[in-house]
Amino acid sequence: MSSEGDENTVVCLPGERLCRVEDNVVLGIGTYEQNGYIYASKSGVVNIEESGENCQVVSVHKPGFHLTIPATGDVVTARVLVTTPKFAKCAIFCVRNVLLESSYRGLLRKEDVRETEKDRVDIYKSFKPGDVILARVINQMEQSFLITTAETELGVVVAYASDARKTRVPMVPVGWSEMQCPLTTIKEPRKVAKVLPESSINIIK
Amino acid sequence: MLRVTQTKNALLDGATIAEDLYTTPKDCEEGFESLELPGKNPKKLSPLLRAGVLTTVRGSAYMEYGNTKVMAIVAPPHELMRATARRMNMGVINCFVNFAAFATGELESVPEREKHLGSMLSKALEPVVCRTEFLNFQLDIRVLILDDDGCLLSTAINCCGVALVECGISTYDLVTASTACIYRDNVFLNPTAKEEELLRKHRGGHALAGSENSSSTTTGAPQEHGLITTASMDTFDQLAQCQQCGYLSPGTYVKLLDYTLAINKSLRQIIRRVLTARIKEQHELDVREKAESALEDQRLAEIIERLGRQGLDEFIQSTIKEDPFVKR
Amino acid sequence: MAYVALSEAEKTFILHGVEEDFRCDGRSRRDYRPMELETGLVSNASGSARLRLANTDILVGIKTEIDVPDPLTPEFGKLEFFVDCSANATPEFEGRGGSDLAQELVLALENAYESPLAFDYRTLCLIPGQQCWKLYIDILILECGGNLHDAVSLAAKAALHNTKLPRVTASLLDAGVTDLIISDNPYDCTRLTIDTVPLLVTVCKIGDYCLVDPSAEEEACSTVSIVVSVSMRNGEAFLSGSHMTGGGAMHRDTMRNCLNLGLSIGEQLNTLLAKVLKQEEERVGPKRPKTVGFLK
């Protein structure tokens, strides 16, 4: 069955029976149910966590590389590629805190940019190609993921001024709908995310 | 093997010089005599299997069985390319098989064999992978054959199974595969290229000649010949794929099937050993990395605390206009 | 295969029907749908056949050519299969959509016909090592209503039976090259013996039971099916090729059951086809019906 490693880590391979299905046992990732038993579907270390009242989640975590696909509800980091009046196409390159090897396609619709007055959004005043945004996945369509920035913590994180210059310095947010370039002091409209910018962390170091 | 090519000498005005024309009966016999018939002590070939051989691709595996060398690469799923495949309610698996230029002697049949192997491989791997976990995505599996010495399909299936597990794609079970063939009442397990050639090239030609040379009055049973490749998942005794070619009676078919299932069981032990060792290795690396990132997290937490104490938060909040489009 | 949209309730209905041995159209698990077969429709081909298996419509045409045999098998002729999924069958087959399915059918047929015990290639030999017949079997799928493998192999076998190879005589010139004289007389021909030619039988597993001849809806419900190629020799059934399709796995015992079912059905199909073809042959002279073709 499963072999014991050191420090009580239980290693398992796909197809190994882990435990019986009971009322308070829930399937986590890397497992599937068959004939009233729980089997592993990935190779890795078995984790049994307590979640909620008397609820145990059985999951198998693969050490090292994690195969991550953006799931509904995850916060992802994406780069805006194309903007049109109706939507913005993005390339998702980071899911939660895991960097992906190949980017997935994301679609940000006009109605999902902010919470109120959704139909009066102007995409060109919210994003420009090249911006790095934080967004949340709402759905998976046939060829891309539908993402939304309709929360205060979501939106543009890193953006550069539109004028072509040799030295590119990231703009600083001056409000939740504007960003200012530190060199030219030009302000540009963006849908800014309410996060602590990295520049302020570096100053205090 | 003797290969006869008819050479055309352009100087002789369109006439052809033909060499030995009749080659089948002699060729078959010579080839057959030169084979080592499986005797009382069949030599056990233990396969060499290694997971995670490449650094650029996450899921990779390399397998050697006898002289056959196969490498498999699995990349994480990406969006569907083809519009027509989108109506499936499960993920799509595509297998691409490539022969290296030096892998095999007969190069004319390579594109056809690549296509055949690719489609058989996808059929074998579809029941293994949990396709419900990547709807609307496609999984690309690439197989590179470095040396062809028989039982390519089964070696490729074994290799891909390990590469899938290595990549972290959910599978229902470990898959193992092997080949058995029968020629002139001799059973060869995991045949080499020479043995397979007898079956494919000469198409068991001797099967017909043999039955004629023997007494024509008795209607003897035809000389059965055939090759069967089975891929199985042993936890629930499921067969992922069972491919047969040749001409077999049902009894022989079941006999060969049972042989391959027995070999699959022993192969499974080898694969389990390799994968378990790999997990332990990765686990140790992971533990070390986690310790390092814990230190990093601690450092960041200290910085944030200091910022909080200095009241930078309030400074940012006071000088900036509120976002009018956020719900209260 | 053609995409059929089924709801969960429909799938459950089909499943229950299969369990009770009474399928949606009233058949038992071992019954085939009604078939219509006609040979000799296409005048330009050496042999042709059209098979209509309920909704599935297949047209096969065979053309013959003289070719040089493979040096490793100098006494054998050649067969080449080509399947064309016409865009008439389903909108999915438009452009290159049907190429995967066509490829799969070609591979299954080639596998089944590979063994010389299944199809006697020596009958296609003219001069060993120098000339042989090459048959191009072209299969056109006009309508796709489930169970393509069976229909295609039945139509191919009927077309092979219908094939007329013109009689060839040879005369020897100097320098050892033989000159072939092909008879112009359309009635001076040889036929092929198709007793051992294999038939593909698809055995489909729905729920816990195996059935043959699945319709398009039943195919959408099944997880796994096995295609068996059955060839009759001296009254016994042999397997000349098999593979599993469908994307599921099956237990070893289920596989044995499916094999046995496939073999017995294959045997019945072979005898039935031979009988029907013979009946069609015997209707000569004034009793010969007019070619129906696609009028009905």
Side-chain angles (χ1 to χ4, degrees), chain C residues 72-115:
Chain C
L72 285 171
T73 51
E75 295 177 333
F76 286 4
K78 295 185 186 175
L79 274 185
E80 189 171 311
F81 289 93
F82 174 69
V83 173
D84 184 18
C85 295
S86 145
N88 294 335
T90 355
E92 294 180 330
F93 289 166
E94 209 175 351
R96 300 206 52 221
S99 59
D100 283 346
L101 182 59
Q103 178 82 1
E104 196 186 311
L105 284 169
V106 166
L107 282 176
L109 283 169
E110 279 181 355
N111 207 21
Y113 280 70
E114 193 187 349
S115 166

mmCIF file of all heavy atoms in Angstrom, chain C residues 72-115:
data_model
loop_
_atom_site.group_PDB
_atom_site.id
_atom_site.type_symbol
_atom_site.label_atom_id
_atom_site.label_comp_id
_atom_site.label_asym_id
_atom_site.label_seq_id
_atom_site.Cartn_x
_atom_site.Cartn_y
_atom_site.Cartn_z
ATOM 1 N N LEU C 72 9.601 -8.195 -50.338
ATOM 2 C CA LEU C 72 9.629 -9.200 -49.280
ATOM 3 C C LEU C 72 8.501 -10.204 -49.404
ATOM 4 O O LEU C 72 8.556 -11.277 -48.842
ATOM 5 C CB LEU C 72 9.515 -8.511 -47.914
ATOM 6 C CG LEU C 72 10.786 -7.812 -47.476
ATOM 7 C CD1 LEU C 72 10.509 -6.985 -46.256
ATOM 8 C CD2 LEU C 72 11.857 -8.826 -47.159
ATOM 9 N N THR C 73 7.463 -9.841 -50.135
ATOM 10 C CA THR C 73 6.336 -10.764 -50.321
ATOM 11 C C THR C 73 6.009 -10.792 -51.798
ATOM 12 O O THR C 73 5.003 -10.239 -52.228
ATOM 13 C CB THR C 73 5.107 -10.300 -49.531
ATOM 14 O OG1 THR C 73 4.859 -8.932 -49.843
ATOM 15 C CG2 THR C 73 5.311 -10.447 -48.050
ATOM 16 N N PRO C 74 6.830 -11.439 -52.610
ATOM 17 C CA PRO C 74 6.658 -11.348 -54.065
ATOM 18 C C PRO C 74 5.427 -12.050 -54.591
ATOM 19 O O PRO C 74 5.011 -11.808 -55.707
ATOM 20 C CB PRO C 74 7.925 -11.989 -54.631
ATOM 21 C CG PRO C 74 8.461 -12.821 -53.537
ATOM 22 C CD PRO C 74 8.023 -12.216 -52.258
ATOM 23 N N GLU C 75 4.805 -12.910 -53.746
ATOM 24 C CA GLU C 75 3.626 -13.594 -54.255
ATOM 25 C C GLU C 75 2.340 -12.925 -53.848
ATOM 26 O O GLU C 75 1.275 -13.471 -54.078
ATOM 27 C CB GLU C 75 3.604 -15.021 -53.698
ATOM 28 C CG GLU C 75 4.757 -15.851 -54.196
ATOM 29 C CD GLU C 75 4.698 -17.217 -53.551
ATOM 30 O OE1 GLU C 75 4.155 -17.315 -52.427
ATOM 31 O OE2 GLU C 75 5.175 -18.159 -54.171
ATOM 32 N N PHE C 76 2.435 -11.817 -53.176
ATOM 33 C CA PHE C 76 1.234 -11.180 -52.649
ATOM 34 C C PHE C 76 0.863 -9.948 -53.448
ATOM 35 O O PHE C 76 1.722 -9.192 -53.883
ATOM 36 C CB PHE C 76 1.457 -10.737 -51.193
ATOM 37 C CG PHE C 76 1.468 -11.865 -50.215
ATOM 38 C CD1 PHE C 76 1.369 -13.178 -50.613
ATOM 39 C CD2 PHE C 76 1.590 -11.592 -48.873
ATOM 40 C CE1 PHE C 76 1.384 -14.213 -49.715
ATOM 41 C CE2 PHE C 76 1.601 -12.619 -47.948
ATOM 42 C CZ PHE C 76 1.503 -13.927 -48.365
ATOM 43 N N GLY C 77 -0.426 -9.726 -53.605
ATOM 44 C CA GLY C 77 -0.897 -8.485 -54.216
ATOM 45 C C GLY C 77 -1.001 -7.419 -53.146
ATOM 46 O O GLY C 77 -0.512 -7.581 -52.043
ATOM 47 N N LYS C 78 -1.656 -6.317 -53.481
ATOM 48 C CA LYS C 78 -1.747 -5.217 -52.520
ATOM 49 C C LYS C 78 -3.178 -4.730 -52.409
ATOM 50 O O LYS C 78 -3.955 -4.777 -53.356
ATOM 51 C CB LYS C 78 -0.884 -4.049 -52.993
ATOM 52 C CG LYS C 78 0.590 -4.340 -53.030
ATOM 53 C CD LYS C 78 1.321 -3.066 -53.404
ATOM 54 C CE LYS C 78 2.784 -3.332 -53.611
ATOM 55 N NZ LYS C 78 3.465 -2.131 -54.080
ATOM 56 N N LEU C 79 -3.487 -4.228 -51.224
ATOM 57 C CA LEU C 79 -4.797 -3.627 -50.994
ATOM 58 C C LEU C 79 -4.547 -2.263 -50.391
ATOM 59 O O LEU C 79 -3.719 -2.132 -49.516
ATOM 60 C CB LEU C 79 -5.574 -4.421 -49.941
ATOM 61 C CG LEU C 79 -6.413 -5.618 -50.292
ATOM 62 C CD1 LEU C 79 -7.139 -6.070 -49.034
ATOM 63 C CD2 LEU C 79 -7.422 -5.298 -51.346
ATOM 64 N N GLU C 80 -5.292 -1.269 -50.847
ATOM 65 C CA GLU C 80 -5.140 0.018 -50.186
ATOM 66 C C GLU C 80 -6.520 0.579 -49.868
ATOM 67 O O GLU C 80 -7.386 0.655 -50.729
ATOM 68 C CB GLU C 80 -4.389 0.991 -51.085
ATOM 69 C CG GLU C 80 -4.026 2.263 -50.352
ATOM 70 C CD GLU C 80 -3.103 3.138 -51.162
ATOM 71 O OE1 GLU C 80 -2.107 2.598 -51.655
ATOM 72 O OE2 GLU C 80 -3.421 4.324 -51.300
ATOM 73 N N PHE C 81 -6.704 0.983 -48.640
ATOM 74 C CA PHE C 81 -8.000 1.497 -48.204
ATOM 75 C C PHE C 81 -7.970 3.008 -48.155
ATOM 76 O O PHE C 81 -6.970 3.613 -47.812
ATOM 77 C CB PHE C 81 -8.334 0.990 -46.796
ATOM 78 C CG PHE C 81 -8.652 -0.464 -46.755
ATOM 79 C CD1 PHE C 81 -7.673 -1.389 -46.490
ATOM 80 C CD2 PHE C 81 -9.942 -0.900 -46.986
ATOM 81 C CE1 PHE C 81 -7.966 -2.730 -46.455
ATOM 82 C CE2 PHE C 81 -10.245 -2.239 -46.954
ATOM 83 C CZ PHE C 81 -9.252 -3.157 -46.681
ATOM 84 N N PHE C 82 -9.084 3.596 -48.467
ATOM 85 C CA PHE C 82 -9.210 5.036 -48.307
ATOM 86 C C PHE C 82 -10.633 5.334 -47.864
ATOM 87 O O PHE C 82 -11.585 4.880 -48.477
ATOM 88 C CB PHE C 82 -8.912 5.744 -49.638
ATOM 89 C CG PHE C 82 -9.150 7.214 -49.575
ATOM 90 C CD1 PHE C 82 -8.328 8.030 -48.813
ATOM 91 C CD2 PHE C 82 -10.207 7.800 -50.245
ATOM 92 C CE1 PHE C 82 -8.553 9.391 -48.725
ATOM 93 C CE2 PHE C 82 -10.437 9.165 -50.169
ATOM 94 C CZ PHE C 82 -9.608 9.948 -49.411
ATOM 95 N N VAL C 83 -10.758 6.060 -46.792
ATOM 96 C CA VAL C 83 -12.095 6.393 -46.289
ATOM 97 C C VAL C 83 -12.297 7.884 -46.410
ATOM 98 O O VAL C 83 -11.440 8.667 -46.024
ATOM 99 C CB VAL C 83 -12.233 5.964 -44.804
ATOM 100 C CG1 VAL C 83 -13.548 6.451 -44.241
ATOM 101 C CG2 VAL C 83 -12.127 4.473 -44.679
ATOM 102 N N ASP C 84 -13.426 8.272 -46.954
ATOM 103 C CA ASP C 84 -13.717 9.694 -47.081
ATOM 104 C C ASP C 84 -14.996 9.977 -46.317
ATOM 105 O O ASP C 84 -16.058 9.469 -46.659
ATOM 106 C CB ASP C 84 -13.887 10.035 -48.566
ATOM 107 C CG ASP C 84 -14.094 11.518 -48.773
ATOM 108 O OD1 ASP C 84 -13.773 12.292 -47.856
ATOM 109 O OD2 ASP C 84 -14.585 11.894 -49.842
ATOM 110 N N CYS C 85 -14.903 10.781 -45.293
ATOM 111 C CA CYS C 85 -16.112 11.168 -44.560
ATOM 112 C C CYS C 85 -16.678 12.389 -45.258
ATOM 113 O O CYS C 85 -16.140 13.489 -45.135
ATOM 114 C CB CYS C 85 -15.759 11.512 -43.109
ATOM 115 S SG CYS C 85 -15.148 10.120 -42.207
ATOM 116 N N SER C 86 -17.743 12.186 -45.983
ATOM 117 C CA SER C 86 -18.301 13.298 -46.755
ATOM 118 C C SER C 86 -18.957 14.309 -45.828
ATOM 119 O O SER C 86 -19.487 13.964 -44.785
ATOM 120 C CB SER C 86 -19.309 12.725 -47.741
ATOM 121 O OG SER C 86 -20.375 13.611 -47.927
ATOM 122 N N ALA C 87 -18.912 15.568 -46.215
ATOM 123 C CA ALA C 87 -19.516 16.607 -45.383
ATOM 124 C C ALA C 87 -21.033 16.476 -45.338
ATOM 125 O O ALA C 87 -21.682 17.095 -44.497
ATOM 126 C CB ALA C 87 -19.131 17.982 -45.905
ATOM 127 N N ASN C 88 -21.611 15.642 -46.211
ATOM 128 C CA ASN C 88 -23.059 15.419 -46.150
ATOM 129 C C ASN C 88 -23.454 14.677 -44.897
ATOM 130 O O ASN C 88 -24.577 14.786 -44.440
ATOM 131 C CB ASN C 88 -23.519 14.551 -47.336
ATOM 132 C CG ASN C 88 -23.326 15.273 -48.643
ATOM 133 O OD1 ASN C 88 -23.312 16.493 -48.666
ATOM 134 N ND2 ASN C 88 -23.155 14.526 -49.703
ATOM 135 N N ALA C 89 -22.519 13.887 -44.383
ATOM 136 C CA ALA C 89 -22.892 13.006 -43.272
ATOM 137 C C ALA C 89 -23.218 13.814 -42.024
ATOM 138 O O ALA C 89 -24.261 13.643 -41.418
ATOM 139 C CB ALA C 89 -21.755 12.028 -42.993
ATOM 140 N N THR C 90 -22.317 14.647 -41.623
ATOM 141 C CA THR C 90 -22.578 15.537 -40.472
ATOM 142 C C THR C 90 -21.834 16.833 -40.712
ATOM 143 O O THR C 90 -20.798 16.826 -41.342
ATOM 144 C CB THR C 90 -22.002 14.965 -39.168
ATOM 145 O OG1 THR C 90 -21.477 13.703 -39.405
ATOM 146 C CG2 THR C 90 -23.020 14.936 -38.078
ATOM 147 N N PRO C 91 -22.331 17.939 -40.185
ATOM 148 C CA PRO C 91 -21.603 19.203 -40.358
ATOM 149 C C PRO C 91 -20.200 19.157 -39.781
ATOM 150 O O PRO C 91 -19.326 19.884 -40.207
ATOM 151 C CB PRO C 91 -22.447 20.213 -39.574
ATOM 152 C CG PRO C 91 -23.756 19.583 -39.400
ATOM 153 C CD PRO C 91 -23.588 18.105 -39.466
ATOM 154 N N GLU C 92 -19.980 18.241 -38.814
ATOM 155 C CA GLU C 92 -18.641 18.160 -38.231
ATOM 156 C C GLU C 92 -17.600 17.720 -39.218
ATOM 157 O O GLU C 92 -16.424 17.954 -39.033
ATOM 158 C CB GLU C 92 -18.619 17.113 -37.124
ATOM 159 C CG GLU C 92 -19.440 17.460 -35.955
ATOM 160 C CD GLU C 92 -19.343 16.357 -34.943
ATOM 161 O OE1 GLU C 92 -19.164 15.197 -35.335
ATOM 162 O OE2 GLU C 92 -19.429 16.688 -33.772
ATOM 163 N N PHE C 93 -18.031 17.006 -40.280
ATOM 164 C CA PHE C 93 -17.061 16.463 -41.207
ATOM 165 C C PHE C 93 -16.607 17.474 -42.239
ATOM 166 O O PHE C 93 -15.899 17.134 -43.164
ATOM 167 C CB PHE C 93 -17.654 15.250 -41.942
ATOM 168 C CG PHE C 93 -17.810 14.033 -41.076
ATOM 169 C CD1 PHE C 93 -18.581 12.981 -41.506
ATOM 170 C CD2 PHE C 93 -17.204 13.949 -39.851
ATOM 171 C CE1 PHE C 93 -18.728 11.856 -40.724
ATOM 172 C CE2 PHE C 93 -17.348 12.838 -39.043
ATOM 173 C CZ PHE C 93 -18.125 11.787 -39.497
ATOM 174 N N GLU C 94 -17.025 18.694 -42.078
ATOM 175 C CA GLU C 94 -16.654 19.684 -43.076
ATOM 176 C C GLU C 94 -15.158 19.957 -43.007
ATOM 177 O O GLU C 94 -14.579 20.002 -41.932
ATOM 178 C CB GLU C 94 -17.409 20.979 -42.773
ATOM 179 C CG GLU C 94 -17.682 21.789 -43.984
ATOM 180 C CD GLU C 94 -18.540 22.988 -43.634
ATOM 181 O OE1 GLU C 94 -19.025 23.049 -42.489
ATOM 182 O OE2 GLU C 94 -18.676 23.845 -44.491
ATOM 183 N N GLY C 95 -14.546 20.172 -44.138
ATOM 184 C CA GLY C 95 -13.121 20.460 -44.160
ATOM 185 C C GLY C 95 -12.332 19.261 -43.672
ATOM 186 O O GLY C 95 -12.507 18.152 -44.163
ATOM 187 N N ARG C 96 -11.515 19.486 -42.651
ATOM 188 C CA ARG C 96 -10.693 18.381 -42.178
ATOM 189 C C ARG C 96 -11.247 17.753 -40.917
ATOM 190 O O ARG C 96 -10.559 17.054 -40.220
ATOM 191 C CB ARG C 96 -9.271 18.893 -41.920
ATOM 192 C CG ARG C 96 -8.643 19.460 -43.168
ATOM 193 C CD ARG C 96 -7.157 19.387 -43.128
ATOM 194 N NE ARG C 96 -6.729 18.038 -42.821
ATOM 195 C CZ ARG C 96 -5.733 17.762 -42.002
ATOM 196 N NH1 ARG C 96 -5.082 18.737 -41.426
ATOM 197 N NH2 ARG C 96 -5.377 16.533 -41.768
ATOM 198 N N GLY C 97 -12.514 18.035 -40.652
ATOM 199 C CA GLY C 97 -13.065 17.522 -39.398
ATOM 200 C C GLY C 97 -13.161 16.016 -39.369
ATOM 201 O O GLY C 97 -12.966 15.392 -38.343
ATOM 202 N N GLY C 98 -13.451 15.404 -40.517
ATOM 203 C CA GLY C 98 -13.637 13.964 -40.508
ATOM 204 C C GLY C 98 -12.354 13.192 -40.686
ATOM 205 O O GLY C 98 -12.370 11.966 -40.753
ATOM 206 N N SER C 99 -11.208 13.860 -40.757
ATOM 207 C CA SER C 99 -9.980 13.133 -41.096
ATOM 208 C C SER C 99 -9.562 12.178 -39.989
ATOM 209 O O SER C 99 -9.037 11.100 -40.261
ATOM 210 C CB SER C 99 -8.849 14.108 -41.404
ATOM 211 O OG SER C 99 -8.623 14.942 -40.290
ATOM 212 N N ASP C 100 -9.806 12.561 -38.719
ATOM 213 C CA ASP C 100 -9.425 11.651 -37.630
ATOM 214 C C ASP C 100 -10.215 10.361 -37.689
ATOM 215 O O ASP C 100 -9.672 9.263 -37.562
ATOM 216 C CB ASP C 100 -9.686 12.311 -36.267
ATOM 217 C CG ASP C 100 -8.611 13.310 -35.945
ATOM 218 O OD1 ASP C 100 -7.567 13.288 -36.616
ATOM 219 O OD2 ASP C 100 -8.822 14.112 -35.035
ATOM 220 N N LEU C 101 -11.518 10.515 -37.898
ATOM 221 C CA LEU C 101 -12.377 9.340 -37.954
ATOM 222 C C LEU C 101 -12.000 8.479 -39.145
ATOM 223 O O LEU C 101 -11.925 7.249 -39.054
ATOM 224 C CB LEU C 101 -13.830 9.807 -38.068
ATOM 225 C CG LEU C 101 -14.863 8.710 -38.089
ATOM 226 C CD1 LEU C 101 -14.759 7.893 -36.839
ATOM 227 C CD2 LEU C 101 -16.244 9.314 -38.190
ATOM 228 N N ALA C 102 -11.714 9.129 -40.281
ATOM 229 C CA ALA C 102 -11.340 8.379 -41.476
ATOM 230 C C ALA C 102 -10.054 7.596 -41.222
ATOM 231 O O ALA C 102 -9.928 6.428 -41.590
ATOM 232 C CB ALA C 102 -11.154 9.338 -42.645
ATOM 233 N N GLN C 103 -9.110 8.240 -40.574
ATOM 234 C CA GLN C 103 -7.837 7.597 -40.263
ATOM 235 C C GLN C 103 -8.048 6.368 -39.400
ATOM 236 O O GLN C 103 -7.460 5.309 -39.625
ATOM 237 C CB GLN C 103 -6.963 8.616 -39.516
ATOM 238 C CG GLN C 103 -5.642 8.117 -39.068
ATOM 239 C CD GLN C 103 -4.668 8.179 -40.203
ATOM 240 O OE1 GLN C 103 -5.001 8.610 -41.285
ATOM 241 N NE2 GLN C 103 -3.475 7.721 -39.966
ATOM 242 N N GLU C 104 -8.931 6.501 -38.406
ATOM 243 C CA GLU C 104 -9.193 5.391 -37.495
ATOM 244 C C GLU C 104 -9.796 4.213 -38.247
ATOM 245 O O GLU C 104 -9.403 3.057 -38.039
ATOM 246 C CB GLU C 104 -10.171 5.890 -36.435
ATOM 247 C CG GLU C 104 -10.265 5.025 -35.222
ATOM 248 C CD GLU C 104 -11.356 5.521 -34.297
ATOM 249 O OE1 GLU C 104 -11.375 6.727 -34.014
ATOM 250 O OE2 GLU C 104 -12.167 4.688 -33.886
ATOM 251 N N LEU C 105 -10.739 4.510 -39.145
ATOM 252 C CA LEU C 105 -11.372 3.419 -39.893
ATOM 253 C C LEU C 105 -10.374 2.728 -40.805
ATOM 254 O O LEU C 105 -10.353 1.499 -40.911
ATOM 255 C CB LEU C 105 -12.540 3.964 -40.717
ATOM 256 C CG LEU C 105 -13.792 4.265 -39.916
ATOM 257 C CD1 LEU C 105 -14.784 5.031 -40.746
ATOM 258 C CD2 LEU C 105 -14.421 3.002 -39.407
ATOM 259 N N VAL C 106 -9.510 3.527 -41.441
ATOM 260 C CA VAL C 106 -8.515 2.928 -42.333
ATOM 261 C C VAL C 106 -7.583 2.008 -41.547
ATOM 262 O O VAL C 106 -7.268 0.899 -41.976
ATOM 263 C CB VAL C 106 -7.708 4.029 -43.051
ATOM 264 C CG1 VAL C 106 -6.478 3.459 -43.709
ATOM 265 C CG2 VAL C 106 -8.560 4.697 -44.092
ATOM 266 N N LEU C 107 -7.151 2.471 -40.376
ATOM 267 C CA LEU C 107 -6.239 1.652 -39.577
ATOM 268 C C LEU C 107 -6.917 0.359 -39.142
ATOM 269 O O LEU C 107 -6.302 -0.715 -39.173
ATOM 270 C CB LEU C 107 -5.783 2.422 -38.337
ATOM 271 C CG LEU C 107 -4.712 3.466 -38.592
ATOM 272 C CD1 LEU C 107 -4.421 4.217 -37.316
ATOM 273 C CD2 LEU C 107 -3.454 2.823 -39.097
ATOM 274 N N ALA C 108 -8.200 0.462 -38.745
ATOM 275 C CA ALA C 108 -8.902 -0.743 -38.307
ATOM 276 C C ALA C 108 -9.028 -1.736 -39.460
ATOM 277 O O ALA C 108 -8.802 -2.940 -39.290
ATOM 278 C CB ALA C 108 -10.290 -0.379 -37.774
ATOM 279 N N LEU C 109 -9.359 -1.228 -40.661
ATOM 280 C CA LEU C 109 -9.505 -2.129 -41.802
ATOM 281 C C LEU C 109 -8.163 -2.738 -42.197
ATOM 282 O O LEU C 109 -8.073 -3.932 -42.478
ATOM 283 C CB LEU C 109 -10.094 -1.360 -42.990
ATOM 284 C CG LEU C 109 -11.580 -1.098 -42.913
ATOM 285 C CD1 LEU C 109 -11.999 -0.125 -43.975
ATOM 286 C CD2 LEU C 109 -12.360 -2.379 -43.043
ATOM 287 N N GLU C 110 -7.131 -1.906 -42.204
ATOM 288 C CA GLU C 110 -5.815 -2.440 -42.599
ATOM 289 C C GLU C 110 -5.364 -3.519 -41.634
ATOM 290 O O GLU C 110 -4.797 -4.532 -42.036
ATOM 291 C CB GLU C 110 -4.781 -1.320 -42.624
ATOM 292 C CG GLU C 110 -4.837 -0.515 -43.882
ATOM 293 C CD GLU C 110 -3.798 0.582 -43.919
ATOM 294 O OE1 GLU C 110 -3.083 0.761 -42.902
ATOM 295 O OE2 GLU C 110 -3.716 1.242 -44.944
ATOM 296 N N ASN C 111 -5.619 -3.297 -40.364
ATOM 297 C CA ASN C 111 -5.254 -4.285 -39.363
ATOM 298 C C ASN C 111 -5.994 -5.596 -39.577
ATOM 299 O O ASN C 111 -5.424 -6.675 -39.476
ATOM 300 C CB ASN C 111 -5.612 -3.722 -37.983
ATOM 301 C CG ASN C 111 -4.751 -4.304 -36.922
ATOM 302 O OD1 ASN C 111 -3.681 -4.803 -37.194
ATOM 303 N ND2 ASN C 111 -5.237 -4.248 -35.699
ATOM 304 N N ALA C 112 -7.288 -5.473 -39.905
ATOM 305 C CA ALA C 112 -8.091 -6.673 -40.084
ATOM 306 C C ALA C 112 -7.666 -7.456 -41.318
ATOM 307 O O ALA C 112 -7.635 -8.681 -41.309
ATOM 308 C CB ALA C 112 -9.566 -6.299 -40.186
ATOM 309 N N TYR C 113 -7.330 -6.755 -42.403
ATOM 310 C CA TYR C 113 -7.004 -7.421 -43.654
ATOM 311 C C TYR C 113 -5.529 -7.763 -43.774
ATOM 312 O O TYR C 113 -5.092 -8.253 -44.800
ATOM 313 C CB TYR C 113 -7.389 -6.520 -44.837
ATOM 314 C CG TYR C 113 -8.848 -6.532 -45.187
ATOM 315 C CD1 TYR C 113 -9.782 -5.948 -44.345
ATOM 316 C CD2 TYR C 113 -9.307 -7.129 -46.348
ATOM 317 C CE1 TYR C 113 -11.123 -5.956 -44.650
ATOM 318 C CE2 TYR C 113 -10.644 -7.135 -46.665
ATOM 319 C CZ TYR C 113 -11.548 -6.548 -45.818
ATOM 320 O OH TYR C 113 -12.876 -6.541 -46.125
ATOM 321 N N GLU C 114 -4.743 -7.500 -42.726
ATOM 322 C CA GLU C 114 -3.291 -7.647 -42.877
ATOM 323 C C GLU C 114 -2.865 -9.091 -43.092
ATOM 324 O O GLU C 114 -1.983 -9.380 -43.882
ATOM 325 C CB GLU C 114 -2.622 -7.092 -41.625
ATOM 326 C CG GLU C 114 -1.146 -6.888 -41.783
ATOM 327 C CD GLU C 114 -0.515 -6.503 -40.465
ATOM 328 O OE1 GLU C 114 -1.253 -6.197 -39.525
ATOM 329 O OE2 GLU C 114 0.706 -6.546 -40.397
ATOM 330 N N SER C 115 -3.480 -10.012 -42.357
ATOM 331 C CA SER C 115 -3.014 -11.393 -42.397
ATOM 332 C C SER C 115 -3.405 -12.076 -43.701
ATOM 333 O O SER C 115 -4.536 -11.935 -44.147
ATOM 334 C CB SER C 115 -3.613 -12.155 -41.224
ATOM 335 O OG SER C 115 -3.444 -13.533 -41.412
#
